[in-house]
Amino acid sequence: MTPQLAIQDFTARVGAAVKTLRMEAGLSAPDLATACTELGVPVTGNAINKIETLRRESLKLEEALAFAVALRVPLVSLIVPLDGEAEVDLLPNLRLPVWEAAMLITGEDPLHGAAAEGRSHSVLAIYREHAVDVRTAVISTREARERRSQAVNHEVGSDRYQQLSRQASEFERIATEDCQRLRETRTRMREQGLHPSPLPAVLAFIDSDE
């Protein structure tokens, strides 16, 4: 595929995805144009119509990103048609299975399974680790509080009270470990000059303890 055809194919893929998602969201082209403009990327309704109907040969990266944000979808879902053909021409001389193409864009896996090397890969890895740690700590902390709250609604010493108390104690132990792991991950990120995302309210105590 020639470079120009590849660019046109890319634009066509994004245009088709934008049209489908826009209609599913109940938005008109002018609605989407307004949303993009509010994000700081001026796009007209006419331009969107041209992109969707393959009458524009190229697309700016910031336009694709604005479409993704406005439509509340991951950028990769506009670039790679996961529900289309088995392979996609990601670049003029790079044809990949759609899932490999998606992983290359999202950084889930280096190209062709090559070993992850360099700071960019390590930074992605620690941000992913942090995201997992946050989700885990939120679940265990909420479960611990919920079981403890349920226990106090039963008569002290009753079988149900004792059962819930045991469960609460176990979840509290797990939550303590999960929160400590999250705290260590955040400390490690800061030591590397990274900026961990703000914690949800249920875990706000982790930063206040530091």
Side-chain angles (χ1 to χ4, degrees):
M1 178 178 289
T2 66
Q4 186 59 36
L5 285 176
I7 293 172
Q8 292 174 3
D9 186 54
F10 170 84
T11 305
R13 288 200 307 271
V14 174
V18 167
K19 182 177 182 179
T20 298
L21 292 166
R22 177 179 63 75
M23 295 179 68
E24 288 177 353
L27 298 175
S28 66
D31 290 336
L32 181 56
T34 298
C36 290
T37 300
E38 289 175 349
L39 290 168
V41 182
V43 183
T44 66
N46 184 50
I48 291 174
N49 279 324
K50 287 184 177 181
I51 291 169
E52 292 181 347
T53 55
L54 315 184
R55 289 183 290 130
R56 242 183 67 175
E57 296 183 351
S58 64
L59 183 71
K60 296 178 181 178
L61 176 59
E62 60 265 32
E63 290 175 331
L65 182 56
F67 291 148
V69 174
L71 293 168
R72 301 176 182 271
V73 297
L75 178 59
V76 67
S77 68
L78 299 183
I79 299 174
V80 180
L82 291 172
D83 58 349
E85 297 182 5
E87 295 185 336
V88 61
D89 289 304
L90 198 59
L91 294 171
N93 297 321
L94 180 62
R95 185 170 181 81
L96 293 172
V98 290
W99 183 238
E100 286 186 22
M103 288 194 295
L104 177 60
I105 293 170
T106 62
E108 292 299 320
D109 195 17
L111 184 60
H112 302 318
E117 297 177 355
R119 178 170 170 77
S120 61
H121 288 300
S122 64
V123 168
L124 281 172
I126 194 170
Y127 270 107
R128 287 197 195 96
E129 180 183 346
H130 179 265
V132 172
D133 287 347
V134 169
R135 288 195 296 271
T136 303
V138 165
I139 292 171
S140 58
T141 298
R142 285 177 174 168
E143 282 289 345
R145 293 181 179 181
E146 178 65 21
R147 300 304 171 96
R148 189 62 67 186
S149 175
Q150 291 176 1
V152 300
N153 291 326
H154 291 78
E155 182 180 352
V156 176
S158 67
D159 290 345
R160 184 56 175 158
Y161 174 86
Q162 292 179 356
Q163 179 188 40
L164 289 170
S165 293
R166 286 193 301 271
Q167 292 175 350
S169 295
E170 179 61 16
F171 274 110
E172 286 165 354
R173 180 190 66 78
I174 295 172
T176 297
E177 294 178 356
D178 290 343
C179 290
Q180 180 58 32
R181 182 166 53 251
L182 174 58
R183 185 179 292 109
E184 292 171 355
T185 300
R186 292 176 71 81
T187 298
R188 185 154 41 95
M189 292 177 73
R190 293 186 177 112
E191 289 173 348
Q192 295 181 28
L194 304 178
H195 304 281
S197 58
L199 292 169
V202 70
L203 299 178
F205 66 90
I206 289 177
D207 278 347
S208 64
D209 288 347
E210 296 182 351

